[in-house]
Amino acid sequence: MGQKVAIGKMAVLLASLSDEELTFFRPSLSAVQYCQGKVGSMNMQKVISAVETAAKRNKLIHESYYRETHALYHAIMEGIEGVTRGQPAIGEMSRTVGLRFAVVRGTPYTEIGEGEWIAVAFYGTIGAPVKGAEHETIGLGINHI
Amino acid sequence: MGQKVAIGKMAVLLASLSDEELTFFRPSLSAVQYCQGKVGSMNMQKVISAVETAAKRNKLIHESYYRETHALYHAIMEGIEGVTRGQPAIGEMSRTVGLRFAVVRGTPYTEIGEGEWIAVAFYGTIGAPVKGAEHETIGLGINHI
Amino acid sequence: MGQKVAIGKMAVLLASLSDEELTFFRPSLSAVQYCQGKVGSMNMQKVISAVETAAKRNKLIHESYYRETHALYHAIMEGIEGVTRGQPAIGEMSRTVGLRFAVVRGTPYTEIGEGEWIAVAFYGTIGAPVKGAEHETIGLGINHI
Amino acid sequence: MGQKVAIGKMAVLLASLSDEELTFFRPSLSAVQYCQGKVGSMNMQKVISAVETAAKRNKLIHESYYRETHALYHAIMEGIEGVTRGQPAIGEMSRTVGLRFAVVRGTPYTEIGEGEWIAVAFYGTIGAPVKGAEHETIGLGINHI
Amino acid sequence: MGQKVAIGKMAVLLASLSDEELTFFRPSLSAVQYCQGKVGSMNMQKVISAVETAAKRNKLIHESYYRETHALYHAIMEGIEGVTRGQPAIGEMSRTVGLRFAVVRGTPYTEIGEGEWIAVAFYGTIGAPVKGAEHETIGLGINHI
Amino acid sequence: MGQKVAIGKMAVLLASLSDEELTFFRPSLSAVQYCQGKVGSMNMQKVISAVETAAKRNKLIHESYYRETHALYHAIMEGIEGVTRGQPAIGEMSRTVGLRFAVVRGTPYTEIGEGEWIAVAFYGTIGAPVKGAEHETIGLGINHI
């Protein structure tokens, strides 16, 4: 049996909590691989690219295998669905995002055959391209990898 | 100036953390009104209804004003967009959800004129109607009220 | 050259105005074929069916030709997109509609080769299944026939 | 009790009727605040911006409160759903719009506690970026403010 | 009675098979009008435009009638829904397509009154803008014309 | 290096061609695992379930591993997006489908590390619940497994 880890919850906490707030959860993080990052943009390609680059640089996915890029891409897009709630578009809809994100790779099931899965979480703000004219948003995507 | 509270983050933590894990965040909760609940279903109407009922019973919205029901409804539906990632349907797409949810009402902006806002968060699992055949999911909706 | 008629505007007025308010527009209606109806439901199939039945009964489409049923169906669904704004679902999203509708068939272009087109308009309310907890909604679909 | 006004219908008529056609409805307009405008574009940001600018310039929303910008934004986007029927995109889908729009602010419910609501209506044409290759379209969004 | 032809299947085979593989199906093609083409892009307008241009150049639609452009446009967009599966966007979602396409015009029903219909099929790859990081995709749209 | 197979094209041909038409393609099928089936319904759950059952019965997925069920489910849903073009709903939108389907599992990339992928294709008709009032439709979903 492998070690069951709530990779989605871990990703959400990594994206939304401060370092101090994370202290309590540090022990759980030792069972997974993860990375964190930030991106602010009206351009969804930049958001996608920021996560992909961070995941590759931190060896969360095998860059040379398309199957891992494919798994990550769909997890990112599902996270973006939560962030954008309805239409995965930002600038085209005259809005902008300021996001922290986290990618977590681990084994969320005790059965070893279930293998590794990947979680992508976003937390931050979405709103008009005017300072303060924004509210919180969150998104989480999960995929087998 | 009012007290600025991250009602979205509060809602997400209330929906996803255990009571013990929440300990650290208790002080921040004193500045908002909130309620928590649980719902498991293949029927989206039941999910919507569970949140509406909890919010009304706990006086988070004025039941007799449609404008508050309207604000809550759209926050719920936006949270469901994150949970369902792509199509706000559950049973019709042969999947089921097991969710904890939280509704938070407070003042997320320091400017008093911004008034009250409402946040609805979901955290739990989504998957096939077979035990264990599911993964984590999250959703957050926010609206002015 | 044929007689150019704004079939979409005609349909919208037929669906939203009272008989008295329509008086001013009666002359324009002589150049088109049209029918009006009403439907209230949480079930989208009933809404679709109400329009199809009214259109067939009033000879707005040739019932025995699928190409005309097909043209009407897509016009109805586009009208429903406006009514539901985001997801063409009613009861599944815990909401109900009370609608008046109109179907107009005519020649919106002066060029004879452009032939006949069909417009379907809805006007009424959408909201929670509680009296008064609803607001106005409109939708218009147009197709070549 | 306040004065009940069908702000959605008012907005639709303001966006779709000529000045002469509107004569009959002028008395009802005295109970609401409204503005009208025009926009033609393949760029949805320009459509959104045209409505926001008109609403602010005509004092239909308090420019300095994000909650009012937020209410207006969602009403605009819901109106655009009706205009675009399916995907809120214009140029990306190789189509263009020529629209008249109206924003109406008023009290659609007799109960004073229901407060003010805002309606945004569009009426015009959508089609290929070729003169005449277009048909009518309409959209209406309504929100509490 | 007209000659019933599966225009959708014809279009799919024309878009996905090699010339050699098509040999077996050549006889069926004599009953329809068709054209084939290729397009690779991150820009959906270019994909739409490539099909429209090929269809006009090969006289599959009457260029001067909007009703035929309208029929073709909706068939193209429905084909793109299959290609993009979820959101009809390419570059905005950081992906690219390499597609072969076919447009077929014919009489899919034996009843003469059903007249002509048009089918648009796409077959090729969709994926990251990196060589090899892509998988197959298909789409088919059909409309009365 | 593994044997590169166009599993998507194989799935589409298996779903759309007659046994006789498939003769030419039989040699390519020896390199993949596949199954075929049929389903007619207004209920999307039945469509999903028909494919899942066929895939499990024919050992195309390991029934006891959720990761394989998860991979198949998303491939099915992507195929349904092509079939339904816009909204993955059937009966709720007053339409019915009559579909043949195929599931193919194989190695679409020469690089061994890319491993196995799964393709789900549908081909058949979609339309009103009236005999003959329907047109062709196709859909293809592909996922790593």
Side-chain angles (χ1 to χ4, degrees):
Chain A
M1 289 280 167
Q3 179 175 358
K4 187 174 171 177
V5 187
I7 59 171
K9 185 171 160 181
M10 285 297 104
V12 165
L13 297 177
L14 283 164
S16 62
L17 299 188
S18 66
D19 278 357
E20 191 199 350
E21 291 167 335
L22 269 173
T23 313
F24 186 86
F25 304 96
R26 291 277 170 213
S28 317
L29 290 173
S30 62
V32 295
Q33 285 177 276
Y34 69 91
C35 71
Q36 290 167 287
K38 270 187 179 186
V39 60
S41 185
M42 292 189 77
N43 183 320
M44 198 156 68
Q45 285 185 65
K46 283 200 186 151
V47 175
I48 296 169
S49 177
V51 182
E52 288 181 336
T53 302
K56 286 175 183 172
R57 189 169 297 157
N58 291 279
K59 312 284 183 203
L60 283 171
I61 65 165
H62 289 265
E63 195 168 349
S64 55
Y65 291 152
Y66 173 50
R67 67 182 287 120
E68 301 222 337
T69 305
H70 184 253
L72 176 64
Y73 176 77
H74 282 276
I76 293 171
M77 288 313 302
E78 294 197 0
I80 286 175
E81 295 270 0
V83 167
T84 55
R85 291 144 299 121
Q87 295 299 327
I90 312 173
E92 294 85 352
M93 288 172 64
S94 215
R95 53 186 180 174
T96 189
V97 293
L99 299 168
R100 287 174 59 201
F101 63 83
V103 184
V104 175
R105 182 175 180 148
T107 54
Y109 304 96
T110 48
E111 171 65 58
I112 282 175
E114 293 297 359
E116 286 184 306
W117 291 63
I118 197 157
V120 175
F122 295 97
Y123 171 77
T125 57
I126 190 165
V130 173
K131 197 173 160 38
E134 67 209 8
H135 60 64
E136 290 166 279
T137 188
I138 209 164
L140 171 64
I142 289 190
N143 210 352
H144 61 285
I145 196 163
Chain B
M1 290 280 167
Q3 180 175 358
K4 187 175 171 176
V5 187
I7 60 171
K9 185 172 160 180
M10 285 297 104
V12 166
L13 296 177
L14 283 164
S16 62
L17 299 189
S18 66
D19 278 358
E20 191 198 351
E21 291 167 335
L22 269 173
T23 313
F24 186 87
F25 304 95
R26 292 274 171 216
S28 316
L29 290 172
S30 63
V32 296
Q33 286 176 277
Y34 70 90
C35 72
Q36 290 166 287
K38 271 187 180 188
V39 61
S41 185
M42 291 190 76
N43 182 321
M44 199 156 68
Q45 284 185 67
K46 283 199 185 150
V47 176
I48 296 170
S49 177
V51 182
E52 288 180 336
T53 302
K56 287 175 182 170
R57 190 169 297 157
N58 291 280
K59 311 285 182 204
L60 282 172
I61 65 166
H62 289 265
E63 196 168 348
S64 55
Y65 291 151
Y66 172 51
R67 67 183 287 117
E68 300 223 338
T69 305
H70 184 253
L72 176 63
Y73 176 77
H74 282 277
I76 294 171
M77 288 312 303
E78 295 198 357
I80 286 175
E81 295 270 1
V83 167
T84 54
R85 291 144 301 122
Q87 295 299 328
I90 311 174
E92 295 85 351
M93 287 172 64
S94 213
R95 52 185 182 176
T96 189
V97 293
L99 299 168
R100 289 175 57 203
F101 62 83
V103 184
V104 175
R105 183 174 180 148
T107 54
Y109 304 94
T110 47
E111 171 66 57
I112 281 176
E114 293 297 359
E116 287 183 305
W117 292 63
I118 197 157
V120 175
F122 295 98
Y123 171 78
T125 57
I126 191 164
V130 172
K131 195 170 161 40
E134 65 209 10
H135 60 64
E136 291 166 279
T137 188
I138 210 164
L140 172 64
I142 289 189
N143 210 351
H144 61 284
I145 196 164
Chain C
M1 289 281 166
Q3 179 174 0
K4 187 174 172 175
V5 187
I7 59 171
K9 185 171 160 182
M10 286 297 104
V12 165
L13 296 177
L14 284 164
S16 62
L17 298 189
S18 66
D19 278 356
E20 191 199 351
E21 291 168 335
L22 269 173
T23 313
F24 186 86
F25 304 96
R26 291 277 170 213
S28 316
L29 290 173
S30 62
V32 296
Q33 285 176 276
Y34 70 90
C35 71
Q36 290 167 287
K38 270 188 179 186
V39 60
S41 185
M42 291 189 78
N43 183 320
M44 198 155 68
Q45 284 186 65
K46 283 199 186 150
V47 176
I48 296 169
S49 177
V51 183
E52 288 181 336
T53 302
K56 286 175 182 170
R57 189 169 298 158
N58 292 279
K59 312 284 183 203
L60 283 171
I61 65 165
H62 289 265
E63 197 168 347
S64 55
Y65 291 150
Y66 172 50
R67 68 182 287 121
E68 300 223 339
T69 305
H70 184 253
L72 176 65
Y73 176 77
H74 282 276
I76 293 171
M77 289 312 302
E78 295 198 359
I80 286 175
E81 296 270 1
V83 168
T84 55
R85 293 145 299 119
Q87 295 299 329
I90 312 174
E92 296 84 351
M93 287 172 64
S94 214
R95 55 186 179 174
T96 188
V97 293
L99 299 168
R100 287 175 58 202
F101 63 83
V103 184
V104 175
R105 182 175 180 148
T107 53
Y109 304 95
T110 48
E111 171 67 56
I112 281 176
E114 293 297 359
E116 286 183 305
W117 291 63
I118 198 157
V120 175
F122 295 98
Y123 171 77
T125 56
I126 192 165
V130 173
K131 194 170 160 42
E134 66 209 8
H135 59 65
E136 291 166 278
T137 188
I138 210 163
L140 171 64
I142 289 188
N143 210 352
H144 61 284
I145 195 163
Chain D
M1 290 282 165
Q3 180 175 357
K4 186 175 172 175
V5 187
I7 60 170
K9 184 172 161 181
M10 286 297 104
V12 165
L13 296 177
L14 284 164
S16 62
L17 299 188
S18 66
D19 278 358
E20 191 198 352
E21 291 168 334
L22 268 173
T23 313
F24 186 86
F25 304 96
R26 292 275 170 214
S28 316
L29 289 173
S30 64
V32 295
Q33 284 176 277
Y34 70 90
C35 71
Q36 291 167 286
K38 270 188 179 185
V39 61
S41 185
M42 290 190 77
N43 183 320
M44 199 155 68
Q45 285 185 66
K46 283 198 186 151
V47 176
I48 296 169
S49 177
V51 183
E52 289 181 334
T53 302
K56 287 175 183 171
R57 190 169 297 156
N58 291 279
K59 311 284 182 205
L60 284 172
I61 66 166
H62 289 264
E63 196 168 348
S64 55
Y65 291 151
Y66 172 50
R67 68 182 287 118
E68 301 222 338
T69 305
H70 184 252
L72 176 65
Y73 176 77
H74 282 276
I76 294 171
M77 289 312 302
E78 296 198 357
I80 286 175
E81 296 269 3
V83 167
T84 55
R85 293 143 300 121
Q87 295 299 328
I90 312 174
E92 294 85 352
M93 287 173 64
S94 214
R95 53 186 181 175
T96 188
V97 293
L99 299 168
R100 289 175 59 203
F101 63 83
V103 184
V104 175
R105 183 175 180 148
T107 55
Y109 304 96
T110 48
E111 171 66 58
I112 281 175
E114 293 297 0
E116 287 183 305
W117 292 63
I118 198 157
V120 175
F122 295 97
Y123 170 77
T125 57
I126 190 164
V130 172
K131 194 170 163 41
E134 65 209 9
H135 60 64
E136 290 166 277
T137 189
I138 209 163
L140 171 64
I142 290 189
N143 210 352
H144 61 284
I145 196 163
Chain E
M1 290 280 165
Q3 180 176 358
K4 187 174 171 176
V5 187
I7 59 171
K9 185 171 160 182
M10 285 297 104
V12 166
L13 297 177
L14 283 164
S16 62
L17 298 189
S18 66
D19 278 356
E20 191 200 350
E21 291 168 335
L22 268 173
T23 312
F24 186 87
F25 304 96
R26 291 278 171 211
S28 315
L29 290 172
S30 62
V32 296
Q33 284 177 277
Y34 69 89
C35 71
Q36 291 166 286
K38 271 186 179 187
V39 61
S41 185
M42 291 189 77
N43 183 320
M44 199 155 69
Q45 284 185 65
K46 284 199 186 150
V47 176
I48 296 169
S49 178
V51 182
E52 289 181 335
T53 302
K56 286 174 182 171
R57 190 169 297 156
N58 291 280
K59 312 285 184 203
L60 284 171
I61 66 166
H62 289 264
E63 196 167 349
S64 54
Y65 291 151
Y66 172 50
R67 67 183 287 120
E68 300 223 339
T69 305
H70 184 253
L72 176 64
Y73 176 77
H74 281 276
I76 294 171
M77 289 313 301
E78 295 197 359
I80 286 175
E81 294 272 1
V83 167
T84 55
R85 292 144 299 119
Q87 295 298 329
I90 311 174
E92 295 84 352
M93 287 172 66
S94 214
R95 55 186 180 175
T96 189
V97 293
L99 298 168
R100 288 174 60 202
F101 63 82
V103 184
V104 175
R105 181 174 181 150
T107 54
Y109 304 95
T110 48
E111 171 66 58
I112 282 176
E114 294 295 0
E116 286 184 305
W117 291 64
I118 197 157
V120 176
F122 295 98
Y123 170 77
T125 57
I126 191 164
V130 172
K131 195 171 161 39
E134 67 210 8
H135 59 63
E136 290 166 278
T137 188
I138 209 163
L140 171 64
I142 289 189
N143 209 352
H144 60 285
I145 195 163
Chain F
M1 289 281 167
Q3 178 175 359
K4 187 173 173 177
V5 187
I7 59 171
K9 186 173 160 181
M10 286 296 105
V12 165
L13 296 177
L14 284 164
S16 62
L17 298 189
S18 66
D19 277 358
E20 191 198 350
E21 291 168 335
L22 269 173
T23 313
F24 186 86
F25 304 96
R26 291 277 170 214
S28 316
L29 290 172
S30 62
V32 296
Q33 284 177 277
Y34 70 90
C35 71
Q36 291 166 287
K38 271 188 178 186
V39 61
S41 185
M42 290 190 77
N43 182 320
M44 199 155 68
Q45 283 185 69
K46 283 200 186 151
V47 176
I48 297 169
S49 178
V51 183
E52 289 181 335
T53 302
K56 286 175 183 171
R57 189 168 298 158
N58 291 279
K59 312 285 185 204
L60 283 172
I61 66 165
H62 290 264
E63 197 168 346
S64 55
Y65 291 151
Y66 172 50
R67 68 183 287 119
E68 300 222 338
T69 304
H70 184 253
L72 176 64
Y73 176 77
H74 282 275
I76 294 171
M77 289 312 302
E78 295 198 358
I80 286 175
E81 295 271 1
V83 167
T84 55
R85 290 144 301 121
Q87 295 298 330
I90 311 175
E92 294 85 351
M93 287 172 65
S94 214
R95 54 185 178 174
T96 189
V97 292
L99 299 168
R100 288 174 59 203
F101 62 82
V103 184
V104 175
R105 183 175 180 148
T107 54
Y109 304 95
T110 48
E111 171 65 59
I112 281 175
E114 292 297 359
E116 286 184 305
W117 292 63
I118 198 157
V120 175
F122 295 99
Y123 171 78
T125 57
I126 190 164
V130 173
K131 193 168 161 43
E134 67 210 7
H135 60 63
E136 290 166 278
T137 188
I138 211 164
L140 172 64
I142 289 188
N143 210 350
H144 61 284
I145 195 162

